[in-house]
Amino acid sequence: MLRLSKQADYGIVLLSYFLEPDSAPGTGNGMPRSARDLAQLAELPAPMVSKILKHLTRAGILTSQRGSHGGYHLARPATEISLASIVTALEGEIAVTECSPLLTDRTCSHESHCPVRTPLQRLDSIVRRALDGVSLAELVEPTTHRNAS
Amino acid sequence: MLRLSKQADYGIVLLSYFLEPDSAPGTGNGMPRSARDLAQLAELPAPMVSKILKHLTRAGILTSQRGSHGGYHLARPATEISLASIVTALEGEIAVTECSPLLTDRTCSHESHCPVRTPLQRLDSIVRRALDGVSLAELVEPTTHRNAS
DNA sequence: CCGATACTGGACTCGAGCGGTCCTATATTA
DNA sequence: TAATATAGGACCGCTCGAGTCCAGTATCGG
């Protein structure tokens, strides 16, 4: 099924809340969003949300602010956050096939004589480029996308 | 990581052997390839190979011939076998996100008010189209591919 | 200075799904 | 009729992802 992990799925949903000017009543505009608030907004389990936000922060997609009235911010404009970077942050390198050169722990014993190794690697880059070409902003605002159906 | 399942991975490798004119000594040109022979060629566990070939046959990608000197054939030219059909045959509908309209068992409770539902579905079609645009022949013969890196 | 808030980092459990095996039935051919 | 090969399942162990939880640290308000 080539499914995205739930973490990545949730991550995209959570990041989308940073684009809306103001959703939660009582929170200001430029205020950082706390993990708890986001969990309520998205109706997702709080520990899970927390874990995801941590990962996104470590990947440089979000910035964090500790202490009371702390929370998270987008580290850069949504137009500059690629879908690929989100997925990579939450589930590691995008490697559709086992023998991707990006994987360090690959243990394919057929590496030398596999008839489809390089072709499979090309498949890798096809998918990766597809995800690289879509920004968070484009994903959330359907009006700004090129590559219309 | 958006990884392909091993079945799909193996399946692509196995199908690639149907393109080569003649690999195994002793087998003729148009002879069907048996599961056992393919397992030896690809150095993969025989029961696994058998299972995969069965799935590919049921999906109409291969045709089978029972009895002695039986085996499998490509059901149509490799140029007309899309990567998407192979993946679909071996791991079900290509649905990157949970809320794909292709999934019957989706149980997303946020369906009505999810802010990124339709955008995520667009992501689905991006990946699906990427896999649809690559044929088995293109994957194995690097010379015939457009979209060069 | 103290306590409340919120992120940080990691360990931990549990269950589903995948990889892999095996067995019985059926078709084909020599 | 015996050998070969696919058809269609059931079956199992184990990994990995989903989700939880806790101890630690930074920040702010009073």
Side-chain angles (χ1 to χ4, degrees):
Chain A
M1 328 217 185
L2 210 76
R3 188 79 48 82
L4 223 51
S5 75
K6 284 204 173 180
Q7 280 203 36
D9 212 332
Y10 293 169
I12 294 171
V13 172
L14 290 172
L15 284 172
S16 76
Y17 285 102
F18 288 94
L19 297 191
E20 306 178 357
D22 197 355
S23 312
T27 53
N29 259 335
M31 298 286 286
R33 300 202 182 272
S34 73
R36 190 163 41 84
D37 290 349
L38 282 169
Q40 284 186 342
L41 277 177
E43 302 185 34
L44 293 175
M48 200 68 212
V49 168
S50 201
K51 181 192 234 178
I52 291 170
L53 295 176
K54 276 185 270 186
H55 283 149
L56 290 174
T57 302
R58 225 183 323 188
I61 293 173
L62 292 175
T63 57
S64 65
Q65 176 72 23
R66 289 193 186 184
S68 57
H69 302 112
Y72 296 92
H73 266 300
L74 284 188
R76 52 183 187 275
T79 52
E80 296 173 21
I81 299 177
S82 75
L83 212 45
S85 68
I86 300 173
V87 173
T88 301
L90 293 174
E91 53 185 38
E93 273 301 340
I94 298 171
V96 176
T97 64
E98 201 76 31
C99 51
S100 164
L102 292 176
L103 299 177
T104 57
D105 62 337
R106 60 200 159 118
T107 54
C108 176
S109 57
H110 316 112
E111 194 157 339
S112 53
H113 59 284
C114 175
V116 289
R117 205 166 73 87
T118 51
L120 279 184
Q121 290 177 0
R122 192 159 353 112
L123 167 60
D124 255 35
S125 67
I126 288 173
V127 173
R128 200 174 310 119
R129 219 172 315 156
L131 294 182
D132 240 329
V134 184
S135 75
L136 176 63
E138 285 171 315
L139 199 61
V140 175
E141 302 235 351
T143 53
T144 56
H145 76 293
R146 63 268 162 92
N147 258 0
S149 72
Chain B
M1 328 220 186
L2 211 74
R3 187 79 48 81
L4 224 51
S5 75
K6 283 204 174 179
Q7 281 204 36
D9 213 333
Y10 293 169
I12 295 171
V13 173
L14 290 172
L15 284 172
S16 75
Y17 284 103
F18 288 95
L19 298 191
E20 305 178 358
D22 197 353
S23 312
T27 54
N29 257 337
M31 298 285 287
R33 299 202 182 272
S34 73
R36 189 162 41 85
D37 290 350
L38 282 169
Q40 282 186 343
L41 276 176
E43 302 185 34
L44 293 174
M48 201 66 212
V49 169
S50 201
K51 181 191 229 177
I52 291 169
L53 295 176
K54 276 184 271 187
H55 283 149
L56 290 173
T57 302
R58 220 177 335 181
I61 294 173
L62 293 175
T63 57
S64 65
Q65 176 74 24
R66 290 193 185 183
S68 58
H69 302 112
Y72 296 92
H73 267 300
L74 285 188
R76 52 183 187 274
T79 52
E80 297 173 18
I81 298 177
S82 75
L83 210 47
S85 69
I86 301 173
V87 173
T88 301
L90 293 174
E91 54 185 36
E93 273 302 340
I94 299 170
V96 176
T97 63
E98 201 77 31
C99 52
S100 163
L102 292 177
L103 299 178
T104 57
D105 63 336
R106 58 199 159 117
T107 54
C108 177
S109 57
H110 317 111
E111 196 158 336
S112 53
H113 59 285
C114 175
V116 288
R117 204 166 72 90
T118 52
L120 280 185
Q121 291 178 357
R122 194 159 349 112
L123 167 61
D124 253 35
S125 66
I126 288 173
V127 173
R128 200 175 308 121
R129 220 172 314 158
L131 294 182
D132 241 330
V134 184
S135 75
L136 177 62
E138 285 171 316
L139 199 61
V140 175
E141 301 235 353
T143 53
T144 56
H145 76 293
R146 64 269 162 91
N147 257 359
S149 74

